[in-house]
Amino acid sequence: MKKFDDVEIEKDTKIISVKYINIEGYDCRCEVWNWDGVIADSLIFYKYDFKKPYEISVIKIIESYINENYDDSKHTIKTDGNYIFFNYNFEIQ
């Protein structure tokens, strides 16, 4: 999907899989990645698809999608450049 062409991958991160889905009418890039023995999932949204505050809007959609409330002890969310990154399902290998 073209709007996700500029997603930057952090150094030393290996992308295991990528797919594109639509969650409640919003395009999303789904990744499974490995970094330094940690495997996790990311949902990446194009921030301009949302009104400000971007992260609040995304959290509401994500909570419904993953069927649990956002918890900063087991989830992360950040806006970087044109994207909002939600990371979850952390597993140490």
Side-chain angles (χ1 to χ4, degrees):
M1 202 174 278
K2 188 142 182 79
K3 70 172 83 176
F4 296 103
D5 284 351
D6 295 332
V7 171
E8 292 185 24
I9 308 303
E10 291 184 14
K11 186 178 180 177
D12 299 328
T13 299
K14 179 182 177 192
I15 303 300
I16 298 168
S17 68
V18 174
K19 67 180 178 179
Y20 298 93
I21 64 171
N22 190 285
I23 301 173
E24 295 188 22
Y26 295 96
D27 295 326
C28 179
R29 176 181 166 124
C30 300
E31 295 179 347
V32 178
W33 50 266
N34 182 327
W35 177 81
D36 199 26
V38 176
I39 294 177
D41 295 334
S42 291
L43 299 175
I44 304 168
F45 296 89
Y46 187 64
K47 79 177 183 184
Y48 299 110
D49 287 344
F50 299 89
K51 295 179 181 177
K52 291 182 181 179
Y54 308 117
E55 292 178 355
I56 300 295
S57 300
V58 169
I59 286 173
K60 290 178 184 177
I61 292 166
I62 288 168
E63 286 178 334
S64 175
Y65 180 75
I66 66 171
N67 201 28
E68 64 181 273
N69 291 331
Y70 177 78
D71 179 345
D72 62 5
S73 70
K74 60 183 188 174
H75 306 124
T76 65
I77 190 165
K78 74 173 184 172
T79 301
D80 186 21
N82 294 329
Y83 304 102
I84 304 160
F85 295 82
F86 175 75
N87 302 306
Y88 66 111
N89 286 342
F90 291 91
E91 185 180 312
I92 298 177
Q93 292 285 301

